[in-house]
């Protein structure tokens, strides 16, 4: 049973560029959430996708956008990259939008470095 | 302002020692989770607690949810080098997004 997969593993971009990160959820899951984890911090919620729509969004600017495909996989796009966008980007999948203590499973993350 | 405060930030102990890490908030949570994250990997869920006063055990790990559902603790008995990692607590209020603390970085030395 495949868990959550993310690609690429590492990425180096220049300030001002755009980046796309990809996530495939755990088999049987239909909801994908994206988190940003800066060095020395806990993950911060970016947004959640369910039924190909953004359902909830954290405190992130519009430069961060996403998409969910019919097969439940998801992309995170970041435009006009800033140095402060350097972080580990985590994808988590779950079954259904959050209800109570619903569990989610995290992928290994994509390490983005902006120079 | 951090909604969930974890303490200590760093902890280095010898193998075989016991330890407790804390997760505190002024807010009430409907559920609280503990994760362990190793370098280069995503967080792995250890436990979910939902009832005030609830205690859950996972082998040598004991998790407690405070009576008022504002705080939690993780106690490890006879720590092993394999327990080394970043321990994160995360809370949810209703159907709002999961909120994480900054974590406690544990190093267990042989």
């Amino acid at each position: 049973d495949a868990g959550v997969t993310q690609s690429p593993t590492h990425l180096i971009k220049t300030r001002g560029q755009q980046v796309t990160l990809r996530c495939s959820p755990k088999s049987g899951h239909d909801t994908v959430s994206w988190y940003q984890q800066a060095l020395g911090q806990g993950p911060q919620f970016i947004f959640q996708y369910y039924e190909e729509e953004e359902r909830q969004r954290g405190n992130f600017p519009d430069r961060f956008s996403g998409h969910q495909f019919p097969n439940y996989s998801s992309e995170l796009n970041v435009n006009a990259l800033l140095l402060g966008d350097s972080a580990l980007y985590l994808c988590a999948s779950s079954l259904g939008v959050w209800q109570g203590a619903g569990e989610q499973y995290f992928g290994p993350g994509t390490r983005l470095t902006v120079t | 302002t951090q909604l969930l405060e974890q303490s200590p930030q760093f902890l280095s102990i010898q193998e075989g020692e016991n330890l407790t890490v804390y997760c505190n908030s002024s807010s009430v949570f409907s559920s609280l989770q503990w994760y362990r994250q190793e370098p280069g990997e995503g967080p792995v869920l250890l436990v979910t607690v939902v009832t005030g006063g609830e205690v859950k055990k996972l082998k040598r790990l004991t998790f407690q949810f405070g009576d008022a559902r504002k705080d939690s603790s993780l106690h490890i008995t006879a720590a092993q080098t394999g327990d080394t990692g970043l321990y994160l607590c995360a809370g949810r209020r209703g159907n709002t997004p999961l909120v994480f603390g900054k974590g406690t970085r544990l190093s267990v030395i042989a």
Side-chain angles (χ1 to χ4, degrees):
Chain A
D1 180 20
V4 180
T5 59
Q6 292 186 243
S7 64
T9 307
H10 296 88
L11 203 51
I12 300 175
K13 289 285 189 178
T14 303
R15 229 175 350 174
Q17 285 188 317
Q18 177 263 342
V19 68
T20 297
L21 311 182
R22 296 176 175 82
C23 170
S24 290
K26 178 179 167 66
S27 178
H29 285 181
D30 56 9
T31 303
V32 172
S33 301
W34 287 93
Y35 293 81
Q36 180 195 65
Q37 186 175 22
L39 203 60
Q41 304 289 320
Q44 272 198 293
F45 174 75
I46 304 175
F47 43 53
Q48 180 187 65
Y49 276 85
Y50 173 70
E51 291 186 337
E52 301 179 49
E53 288 187 10
E54 182 182 295
R55 296 293 175 162
Q56 293 197 28
R57 189 179 182 93
N59 189 25
F60 279 81
D62 292 344
R63 297 187 299 108
F64 289 77
S65 63
H67 188 77
Q68 186 179 36
F69 299 94
N71 67 353
Y72 308 122
S73 67
S74 176
E75 288 181 350
L76 163 64
N77 301 293
V78 187
N79 294 323
L81 284 167
L82 304 173
L83 295 179
D85 295 331
S86 294
L88 180 68
Y89 288 85
L90 295 163
C91 167
S93 74
S94 57
L95 182 60
V97 293
W98 284 312
Q99 292 176 6
E103 296 182 1
Q104 55 184 350
Y105 294 81
F106 283 85
T110 294
R111 171 72 62 189
L112 172 64
T113 301
V114 182
T115 61
Chain B
T1 305
Q2 193 76 17
L3 195 57
L4 280 169
E5 298 284 347
Q6 290 192 243
S7 61
Q9 273 189 279
F10 301 94
L11 189 56
S12 182
I13 61 170
Q14 295 289 325
E15 202 170 26
E17 291 184 351
N18 301 332
L19 67 113
T20 302
V21 298
Y22 301 91
C23 176
N24 295 301
S25 177
S26 57
S27 299
V28 176
F29 290 94
S30 52
S31 66
L32 199 136
Q33 299 177 330
W34 284 91
Y35 292 81
R36 183 170 73 209
Q37 184 177 21
E38 300 189 32
E41 298 182 11
V44 175
L45 180 66
L46 297 173
V47 77
T48 301
V49 286
V50 298
T51 306
E54 183 175 3
V55 176
K56 282 193 174 179
K57 292 192 175 184
L58 183 66
K59 297 183 182 177
R60 295 174 295 99
L61 278 59
T62 302
F63 305 86
Q64 184 161 10
F65 201 12
D67 291 341
R69 290 185 288 128
K70 293 183 179 180
D71 53 81
S72 181
S73 64
L74 158 59
H75 181 80
I76 301 179
T77 304
Q80 300 176 355
T81 55
D83 296 327
T84 292
L86 178 67
Y87 287 82
L88 294 159
C89 69
R92 180 169 292 141
R93 295 176 291 176
N95 289 332
T96 60
L98 204 59
V99 174
F100 281 83
K102 289 187 178 182
T104 291
R105 190 164 296 281
L106 172 65
S107 176
V108 182
I109 304 164

